[in-house]
Each structure stands twice: as C-alpha cells, then as structure tokens.
Amino acid sequence: MRTSSIKRLVAIALLAMMAVVTVGCGEEEKGPFRIGVMESVTGAGETYGTVAVQAKQLAVDEINAAGGIDGRMLELVVEDSKCNAQDAITAYNKLTDVDEVKIILGTSCSGAMLGAAPLAEREGVVMFSGLATNPDIAEAGDYIFRTSLSDATVGVDTGNVLWADGIRNLATINESTDYAEGVRRTTTAQFEKLGGQIVAAESYPSDTTDFRTQLTKILNASPDALHIAAQAEASGGTIIKQVRELGYDGPIYADVVPIGTTALEIAGEAATGVKAITPDLDPANAKAQEVLAAFRAEYDYVTLPWFLGSAYDNVYITAECLKQTGDDQDADGFRDCMYDITWSGTIGVNYSFDEKGEVVGLSNAVLEVLPVAERTEENGGYRVLGAAPTS
Amino acid sequence: MSIVTGALRNVRDVARDPRSWWQRSKGNIELWANLIVLGWALVFMLWRGGGFAITVGSVFAIWAILAVSLNLVVGYAGLLSVGHIGFLGIGAYTTAVLTSHASYEQLRTEAIPTFGWPFFAALPFSVLLAGVVALVVGVAFNRFRDDIYVLVSFGFAVIAFTTFLSWRNLTRGAFGIHEIARPAIGPWVFDGELEFLALLLVFLGLVVLIAWLIVTSSFGRVLTAIREDEQAIQVFGYRTTHYKLAIWVISAMIAGLAGALLASWSTFIDPNSFVLLESVLLVSIVILGGLASIWGSLLGALAFVMLEEGMRFVPFLPSEFIGQIRQVILGILLVLLMLFRPQGLVGRFKL
C-alpha cells in the first residue's frame, strides 16, 4: 500500500506543477502591460522597499480601477532585491529572463541598483528608481532613470543651510553606509568650500545602539552644531536622544532618516527643533495630500512621505510612457519618452529628466521637528520651513 | 570516485531488476536526498529554462566552491569557522582593486589607486593574499578549539567587514567598487553569462579535485583523526597544529578564489556582500549538505540555491509580503531538515 500512496503523492505534485505552468501561460495578446518591480523588501532598507512596493501597488490599483491604459491593465511583477548587488543581479535576471519584462521600477537600495544597472544598460532594459540616491547612479547609463534626488544635492543644500544659519564649526556623525556616507561627504565638502570648519567627524556601523563614547568625543570639540547622517531610523533617533542626555543643547541638523516616525518615537521630546534637509512634499500640493490620504486608507500608516510619493509618481510616469509607446517590450521607445516627458505629480510640478537620467525641477526643503504635543500623524511630527537656500 | 560508481550501480540495478532495487533502496534516505535535489534542479532548469538557469547556475557554482572550502575545515578538521566570509571578501576586494581602471571616473576623482591588471593576473594575488592573511590569523587561532574557535572566527569576520567598510582610500567604503573587469584570455573576453558559467564550473571542478586529493591522502586522514580525537593522534607524534594550520590556509585560499570570481561575476562589490549573516548561511549549507563529504557540499549548495531561487516561483503571494514570506518558508524548511536529518543530506558525522 505504501507504493501506491507514494505514487498518488507524485501524481498530485505533478498536477500541481502543471496547474502552475498553465496559470503562468494564460492570456495571449492584449493582455496587461507587465512591469517589473525590484525593491529591498527584506534585509537592510526593508522599510523603504516595503513602502515603495505598497505605493506602487496603490497607483496601479487606481489606474486599473479607472479603466487601465487605453483599456489594457497594468500588472506588476514584484521581486526582492534585498540590499546587495548579488541578490539584485539574480532578481534582475529572474525578471528579465523568466517574466520577460523590459521595464523595471526600482530599486530602493543604491547598492542593489548599482549591481543590476550595468546589466540593464548592456541589455537595453529600463531601470527607473524613486528611492536610490547614490551619486554614482548618475553615471550608470542611458537606460537608468530616477526621480530621487542624488545625495550630492542633499549635501550641497545642507552645507548651504548650515552656513546661512551662522554655523562655522561643525561636528558630524554618520552611519557607514553608501547613503549616509554620501550625505556626509557632500555636506562636508560644501560646508568647507563656504569657509566652515569640521571639528569632529565620527562614523558607526549599522546596528550600533550606544553612541555615548563617540558623542562625548564630539562634544569635547565644542561644535556650533551637530550633523547626523543615518540610514536606519533607530540609530538616528537614538543619537538625538543620547546627545541631549549628555547635555548638548546646540542645534542639530540631519538627513531625512532621523526625523522618520520611528526615530521620533525613540527620541521623544529630545528631537524638538531638529532641522532636516531633504526633499519633502509641498503642503500646498493638493495631489500630495490626496495620495497620502489614499495610502493611509489602504495600509493604515504613512512613513517616508516623499519617497512614498516618488514611488507613486514613478508608476504614473510609466503609465504615461506606456500609453505613448503602447508596448511594454519597447524599452527604447520608453527611454526616449522618459527623456522628453515633463511631469507634475505628488513630489513636484513640471519636473523632467536630464541627459543622465537625473531628475531636474525638484528641490530640497528644510524641515523642523515640532514639540511632542504638536506632533500628529498627519504632519509627521515636523513643519516645512521652506526651500533650501541655493548658493 | 565512489559517488559516481555508486550512482552507476544504482542505474544498472534499476534497469536489471526494478522490484528488488526498490526493496533495497526505499529506506536509503541518502539516495532519495540526491534524487530529489538533482531532480528539482533539472525540473527547474527545464521549467524556467535558458537565461535564469544560467544565473542560478553561477550563484550555485560560487556557493559550491565556498562550501567545499569550508567543509575542509569544518567537516574534516572539525574546526567550526564562521569567518570564511572574510576570506571571500579579501579575494573579492583584491581582484576589484587590482583590476580597477583609471578610466573609471570616480576612482580618479577620489584619488583611489588604480592598477588596471587583467583578471587572470589579479586572481593568483587574491588567492595568495587570502592565504597570507589566513596564515597570520591561523597562528593565533590554532591555540583555540571547539566553541572558542567559533567566537574567534566570528571576530575575524567582523574585523574583515569593518576593514572593507572603513579603509575608504582603497575600498571606497560603503560606496563599493564598480566596473570590475571580466576575465579575458587574449582577445576572448568572458562577458557572456554562459561563458562565465563555464569558467565558474571549470574552477569548481578544479576545487573539487584538489579537495578530493586532500581528503583521500594521508594528510586528509590525519585531519579526520584530529577531528575525532586530537590528543590521541598527538600521542603518535603528529604535530597537529601544523596540520590544522595547513588546512586552514588552503581553505582560505579557495575562499579567496571564490571571492575573485564573485567580484568579476557581479562587476560590483560593496561591504554589504560580506556581512556575517552570509557566513552563517555558508555554515548552514555545509551542515545541510553533510559534514566531511565533498559531494554533500555540492548537494547542499545546490539544495540551498534551488530552495532560495525556487521560492521566487511560489504562486499567489501578496506582492507586499513576497520577500518576507519566502524567508520564513526557507527558515522553516531548514529547521525541519535539521530536525529529521541532523547529519545533513548525505553526511556521516554530526557536529
């Protein structure tokens, strides 16, 4: 009897496999437009990847509910690229070889983007990211686009803000990741160019939880201000909390991460008055508020609103270009459309792409964290002071 | 090798007398482990065919080289090391730095030294440097064994990772190095994925051959004896520290080779590829496949890669949780496997 039960098992397994294969090769022509999505939904950068996938899914659902693109639905094929080059390469090859997509939205991690970008450039596949900010991506090729602002622009603007606020002696602390390191490097360069002086510079590996030694060292150099560049919200929030506990009462500047929802929860009242230089949604932009409300209604939370909006806009830009080319296999037509397009959406009005595939027409804003009593889910715990000054 | 002759004998027996073969083999878990993993790999290749199978094959080849190298240390000599990812990194970074070209703009503007060597010139240096580092740390490591060995090798992995991250003038720190050269013999460049897979398989074959020569030699038998009872073999006059150091260095050199191949395959590396977690995965592959079995390491690497990549095709998952669910399933499968088969798929010896 044992033999027959094994036979039955094998038969069931084979049937199941056949079912999967048949499902896979359904619909022929006039099926949906298929677009790949690669995000770091596990590992470091998980928050960004998850928000990006959810925002994209939201946009796709909206488009499809409104009748699709000229009657054809839009379909996402989601893959996990984790946060490193090797996993991005396998995810990329899976999307292009198995799912045969020619347009990939992603990735949220710069390291993953830089791993897959050379392949995409060589094989003529479009990669379009809303979140990767490493300056090196500008040089990655003709098929590589992004709506996220390069860290270089964040750094330059931060340097300008510091100088305009009368800071002359600056201390920096940064997480040792490509993003945070890039922000620190460009901030420092711009600040020194303007005549400022760096009196202390510390860095820490991801997953550090105690910063008191490094912060004490920094405070001994008695800086006018402290700049924090973090990749993980937990570390950003903890640094703010611990530096205040050590008795520092000077101004704190940061990139976007240390004012994220989780970071503010950790830092509590200590974060009040912290200034962050980052791209942010314009409170006067009705479209942006609409998207945030829709996202909250769908997923019950909102975090990293600008990145969320960026990922959301990516889908609409993609839909517009697909409408023009009418073919999801035509990467060259799609690329040309991207170079020509001018878009107004969640993250700004009338923005476009330059010859490197970098976004132009968007700018960073200066944000200030509110006291705990005034923080609400809607305002994210901060107010927008205005656009960063240009030099 | 006995594996091959064993497989051939099985095929012959099935053909001659299926019924009695079944009677003899149905309790043979090893045989079934082999058939299931290889069968799944074959189905996967036919099913998902072409390009993606090549990528998966390349990932497998790199993991397999690493797994064989680690098995020499863990399985044969009984030294549980979680530091091999460090040697992988040393090999990868050596190749990346030595092959880096001045035409790559960022390197020039950041005043990072460039050498512009071809891949096959950088390869021996990657292997050698991994060996030299292994020799230096190995002299210290030799004073430890068992659980303490895990801790010191853990320390080594952390130091290696931090070095890659912090030595910015050479490694570009967290930015990583791009545009790493693909291997070339004369005018013939291995830039196609299929050619690169062939190259990887040639190296894998070479590594398996070296490992097989080691474990079947008298040197290999001394290693096994050290694993079973180090003091007993010392009584017979063997300087066990020399043996342990030798296998440690050889194993590190093979890991360095894997690193060089990895760097050239992915053309981009950053410290994120050499985190401790990858080392733990590597140890799991070796244990999953079976300690003290070269074939086990190959099978373990294949099973692991097939599980991980095969998981991409689990249907009907909501797209927001796709990655997380896969990792949970992978974890559960590994736990179940260890519960019911603690010696690994084809292993003979438990930790």
Side-chain angles (χ1 to χ4, degrees), chain A residues 82, chain B residues 37 63 277-290 299-309 311 325-345:
Chain A
K82 302 202 180 140
Chain B
V37 176
W63 277 113
L277 180 67
E278 305 276 325
S279 225
V280 177
L281 282 180
L282 183 60
V283 175
S284 339
I285 289 178
V286 171
I287 296 175
L288 169 74
L299 202 66
L302 190 63
F304 175 78
V305 172
M306 282 298 147
L307 271 180
E308 208 189 14
E309 298 304 326
M311 215 63 84
I325 292 175
R326 279 178 202 151
Q327 295 211 323
V328 170
I329 297 176
L330 186 66
I332 292 173
L333 282 176
L334 286 178
V335 169
L336 287 179
L337 211 63
M338 283 300 105
L339 267 178
F340 294 108
R341 188 98 183 135
Q343 70 271 54
L345 293 172

Side-chain angles (χ1 to χ4, degrees), chain B residues 90 94 122-135 249 253 256-257:
Chain B
I90 290 171
T94 310
L123 183 75
F125 276 86
S126 304
V127 174
L128 215 63
L129 188 64
V132 170
V133 174
L135 187 65
V249 171
M253 287 167 81
L257 169 77

Side-chain angles (χ1 to χ4, degrees), chain A residues 42-71:
Chain A
T42 61
E46 178 186 355
T47 325
Y48 304 88
T50 309
V51 165
V53 172
Q54 290 177 336
K56 284 168 187 173
Q57 195 59 53
L58 178 71
V60 167
D61 291 345
E62 282 176 17
I63 291 170
N64 288 343
I69 303 162
D70 289 338

Side-chain angles (χ1 to χ4, degrees), chain A residues 175 204-211 232 235:
Chain A
E175 192 166 335
Y204 60 90
S206 305
D207 302 330
T208 308
T209 51
D210 184 17
F211 305 91
S235 68

Side-chain angles (χ1 to χ4, degrees), chain B residues 11-24:
Chain B
V11 172
R12 198 190 58 206
D13 288 359
V14 176
R16 199 176 286 164
D17 186 357
R19 187 171 294 266
S20 80
W21 173 83
W22 173 253
Q23 285 304 327
R24 268 184 292 122

Side-chain angles (χ1 to χ4, degrees), chain A residues 17-47:
Chain A
M17 207 172 280
M18 274 162 65
V20 172
V21 173
T22 1
V23 169
C25 355
E27 310 120 302
E28 284 298 307
E29 51 203 29
K30 283 295 162 200
F33 287 116
R34 280 160 63 85
I35 301 294
V37 171
M38 256 166 74
E39 300 289 358
S40 52
V41 289
T42 61
E46 178 186 355
T47 325

